[in-house]
Structure formats: structure tokens, C-alpha cells
Amino acid sequence: MDTVVESKAGLKTPAYAAKSAKSPLGPFSIERRTPRPHDVLIDILYCGVCHSDIHQVRDEWGGSIFPMVPGHEIIGKVVDVGTHVRKWKKGNVVGVGCFVDSDRTCPACLAGEEQFCEGGMTLTYNGYERDGKTPTYGGYSTRITVDENYVLRIPKGIPLERAAPLLCAGITTYSPLKHFGLEAGDKLAVVGLGGLGHMAVKFGHALGAHITVLSHSPGKRQDALELGADDFIATKDEDAFIENAGRFDFILDTVSAKHDYNSYLNLLHCDGIMVLVGVPEPGLLSAPSLILKRRTLAGSLIGGIRETQEMLDFCAKHGIAADVEMIAIDEINEAYERMLENDVRYRFVIDIASLK
Ligand code: NAP
Ligand code: ZN
């Protein structure tokens, strides 16, 4: 703890931030709070780079709060604990995902689905603490202070840099496959082979589904098969949508850019389900795409703390981790550009040592 510089406001912490939706990210300094009785202070080792970071830094969803320190796929080591913390001790390897608090009293929180908190979950970044005025800052920084109940245990055996993306990309794909009841032998189509998509392939494979990747990047065919897919469809080929009509039980759509939902829905057979997790700009939905075969269209948002822990334990048991490309913090702006060109295999992870 001798590196900690404490001011009245808190612990001075190096970070990387975007000052506005139009500016690149650059060095920035933030204050982390000294641990309250139920807090842990985490020295961050790795932080994954999610496409949601780009959406929010560029204010594509509206309402972004600047300066913004993104990052919600955090892996680190506990370096200090508050006086009442019993769950964690110094040296524990832990994770922090997309939220760091919630109202804890609403039916969603009591059900362990804090992501649907009626009082609003406290986002790890681009949000405000429960006081409604202190901005939250994410994992593109050297440390973070988090309430002990919003911290995950990283099971032994998962390489730490490859565990970081599980905190968002992992839970976001695991949760809908479980919730909507994917079963062994089901025909699952994963649309978009990016950070989320490649995790969906791994989970689908571990759950025994027959997996087809639908991708607008024909060059990803071999990767898809190596990741565990059984088949690959290049969606640039318009005929593919005719040839594969009615083929799938379950479609998980992870695409970050605008695309035609109707043509994908038509790939479901009667009573099939398509779950959206990607958040592109709004697209049109035509009612017959659902009506004609009694199809279901659904959405899913990350996952609660309990299910995130379940997913991490599932990964350890099945030898699952993200495929990552490590970057230094000063490569982050270039990494965003490469993600927008689908040039990442399959998740950038920032080595936070490069910020210290
Ligand atoms: P990513 O790594 O950039 O992957 C997105 C994939 O979408 C790309 O690899 C690409 O796959 C496909 N794609 C991109 N542009 C396309 C286009 N013009 N037409 C068709 N396909 C295109 O992003 P990510 O981090 O996985 O995130 C994906 C989306 O999920 C983002 O919108 C993100 O905000 C959202 N998200 C949602 C949640 C949630 O809780 N629901 C959580 C995290 C992220 P191919 O090259 O294979 O086509
Ligand atoms: Zn994310």
C-alpha cells in the first residue's frame, strides 16, 4: 500500500478518459474513495474493451457523462478491505463487471437480478453513485473501490487476462442461453463473431448445442470452427437467407451495427426464439416475421451477481476463457478503430501495468 497517495478527496488514481464524445481517450487523474466499512480496494491488473465502451464514449446511446473513464471487464487483486468486510481479504483475485451497486431492496435485487434494479443499477462507469451526483469511473484506471457484494471471485485455473472479458461478454451471452433454455442438440445460430459472439460459441458448445456462426466477415470461418462452431454462414451471400430459412431453434444476435432483424428471424423455425444482446441503432421489425411461425423475439441484459459467479465457475469447470489480444493503454484509440473494422480476435484487453 506504500504506492497509495491519499488526499482529502480520496486516493489519487491514474486513469484514461474521454473528455467529450468527439475527443480521443488520454491520460487523466481520478480520486477513488478510501474503503468504507463494506468496501474493498482493488488494484486493477487487466481490463477488457467492450463495444459498449465505444458506444458510450461516442455518446451513441445518448446521455453520456464526461469526462468518461470506460471499462467494465475488470480483474484485479484486493489490496485493502473495510472494517466490516468478511467475504474478501488482501490478495484475493477478483472481478468487477458492469455495475457496482443497486438499490438492494427491490424485487429484482432480491431475486439476484440487480441488472434490472427498479432504482437503477449503478453502472461501473458513465453513471452516478447512489448519491445521484458522484460520477462513477471504470477500469481504464489503476484501482477501484467497490462494495464487497458487487465483487466476483475468479476461480483458479482461468488465466487472468483471459478472465477479464467474462465479466461482460461472458455473462451477457451465458445468461440468455441459460434463461431461455438452450438444450443439448438445439440448433443455435450466433450472429456476429466478436467479443460477445465468440463467447456465445464457447458456451453453446459446452452446453451441447449444434452451433452455426452467421458472420458478415467471410474470413472468420476457420476461427469459428476452431472456437467450437459446427457450421459457418457468410451473410454477405444473400442466398444464405433463403437456403437456411427455418433452420434454427435459437438465434443469439450480438451484432453492434444496424442490420435487418427480419431476415434473421426468418431463419427460425416454428416457435423458435431470437434473443438480441447487441445494441445497434434502432431497426425496423415487420410483424409477419414473428406471426407467420409464432416466433419469439427477446432481449437480454448482462446478468446478476449470482449468475455471473455461476458463469465464472462454469468457465473454470469447462476450461473456458476469452481469446484475447493484449494492448497497452496508449493503444486504446487505435484498438477502438480496429474493433469498428472487426479486426480483433476476439477481445482487446488492456494490461493496466502500462498505466502505472
Ligand atoms: P464486437 O466485438 O465489436 O463484435 C460485434 C460484431 O458484430 C462484429 O465482430 C461483427 O461480427 C458484427 N458486425 C459489426 N458490424 C456489422 C455490420 N455492419 N453488419 C453485420 N455485422 C456486423 O462487439 P461486442 O463487444 O461483442 O458487442 C456487441 C454488441 O453487444 C454491442 O452493441 C454492445 O454494446 C452490446 N452489448 C450488449 C450487452 C447486453 O447486456 N445486452 C452487453 C455487452 C455488450 P462479424 O464480423 O462476425 O460479422
Ligand atoms: Zn460490455
Side-chain angles (χ1 to χ4, degrees):
M1 290 293 288
D2 50 359
T3 53
V4 173
V5 180
E6 192 169 353
S7 73
K8 259 188 199 152
L11 308 169
K12 200 168 152 46
T13 300
Y16 242 57
K19 301 245 167 87
S20 78
K22 299 253 179 280
S23 57
L25 281 87
F28 187 63
S29 183
I30 57 173
E31 302 281 345
R32 294 299 191 187
R33 65 176 186 264
T34 49
R36 297 171 189 153
H38 285 284
D39 282 342
V40 296
L41 178 64
I42 299 165
D43 200 352
I44 302 177
L45 298 170
Y46 302 109
C47 185
V49 181
C50 179
H51 205 111
S52 303
D53 298 351
I54 304 180
H55 289 310
Q56 292 176 90
V57 159
R58 302 198 174 173
D59 200 16
E60 290 169 359
W61 295 340
S64 284
I65 303 162
F66 294 99
M68 185 188 300
V69 177
H72 58 205
E73 294 185 337
I74 298 168
I75 294 285
K77 258 194 188 146
V78 174
V79 289
D80 198 7
V81 295
T83 49
H84 288 44
V85 172
R86 296 289 171 267
K87 278 190 188 169
W88 311 105
K89 54 182 195 305
K90 285 184 199 180
N92 286 160
V93 176
V94 293
V96 178
C98 297
F99 56 90
V100 288
D101 212 337
S102 61
D103 76 12
R104 308 176 190 214
T105 55
C106 74
C109 286
L110 296 178
E113 298 203 300
E114 301 89 348
Q115 74 276 29
F116 303 125
C117 173
E118 288 171 19
M121 62 176 157
T122 302
L123 291 172
T124 302
Y125 71 89
N126 195 24
Y128 293 104
E129 301 281 359
R130 301 315 292 171
D131 65 8
K133 57 180 189 217
T134 309
T136 56
Y137 295 120
Y140 299 6
S141 61
T142 60
R143 61 177 157 234
I144 187 167
T145 313
V146 184
D147 182 283
E148 61 175 329
N149 294 307
Y150 294 80
V151 171
L152 285 308
R153 185 176 44 78
I154 306 303
K156 283 202 173 69
I158 309 177
L160 296 186
E161 67 279 16
R162 299 183 62 200
L166 302 177
L167 277 311
C168 175
I171 184 59
T172 301
T173 49
Y174 178 86
S175 182
L177 298 182
K178 296 291 278 192
H179 180 81
F180 293 104
L182 182 80
E183 287 181 4
D186 280 354
K187 292 196 170 63
L188 169 69
V190 174
V191 188
L193 195 64
L196 267 59
H198 96 290
M199 289 310 308
V201 171
K202 292 181 186 227
F203 288 131
H205 183 70
L207 293 167
H210 181 281
I211 302 157
T212 303
V213 167
L214 278 75
S215 168
H216 85 311
S217 308
K220 292 182 181 173
R221 175 184 295 272
Q222 191 56 34
D223 283 1
L225 301 178
E226 283 169 17
L227 287 163
D230 302 282
D231 202 355
F232 180 92
I233 295 174
T235 53
K236 277 187 175 156
D237 173 8
E238 298 271 314
D239 288 347
F241 289 94
I242 301 163
E243 286 160 13
N244 293 286
R247 177 170 162 189
F248 300 107
D249 302 298
F250 196 131
I251 297 178
L252 189 64
D253 184 336
T254 75
V255 173
S256 54
K258 196 168 177 181
H259 57 294
D260 179 17
Y261 293 137
N262 304 292
S263 42
Y264 290 91
L265 282 165
N266 283 323
L267 302 179
L268 289 172
H269 63 58
C270 198
D271 290 328
I273 181 165
M274 176 156 121
V275 183
L276 307 180
V277 287
V279 194
E281 50 195 289
L284 282 180
L285 182 67
S286 137
S289 306
L290 296 173
I291 291 169
L292 291 178
K293 298 269 184 198
R294 202 169 52 193
R295 297 171 175 122
T296 300
L297 179 62
S300 190
L301 177 67
I302 46 175
I305 294 291
R306 190 163 59 215
E307 194 177 35
T308 305
Q309 190 64 62
E310 175 189 310
M311 177 274 309
L312 288 165
D313 295 342
F314 181 92
C315 287
K317 187 172 168 203
H318 293 270
I320 292 174
D323 288 20
V324 304
E325 180 177 338
M326 299 301 295
I327 58 166
I329 191 73
D330 61 5
E331 295 174 290
I332 188 67
N333 293 304
E334 188 195 329
Y336 280 10
E337 293 309 318
R338 283 185 53 196
M339 277 172 79
L340 291 167
E341 286 160 22
N342 308 301
D343 176 25
V344 50
R345 303 256 190 302
Y346 276 89
R347 198 57 139 189
F348 288 118
V349 172
I350 305 164
D351 183 353
I352 296 297
S354 62
L355 188 52
K356 288 176 182 166

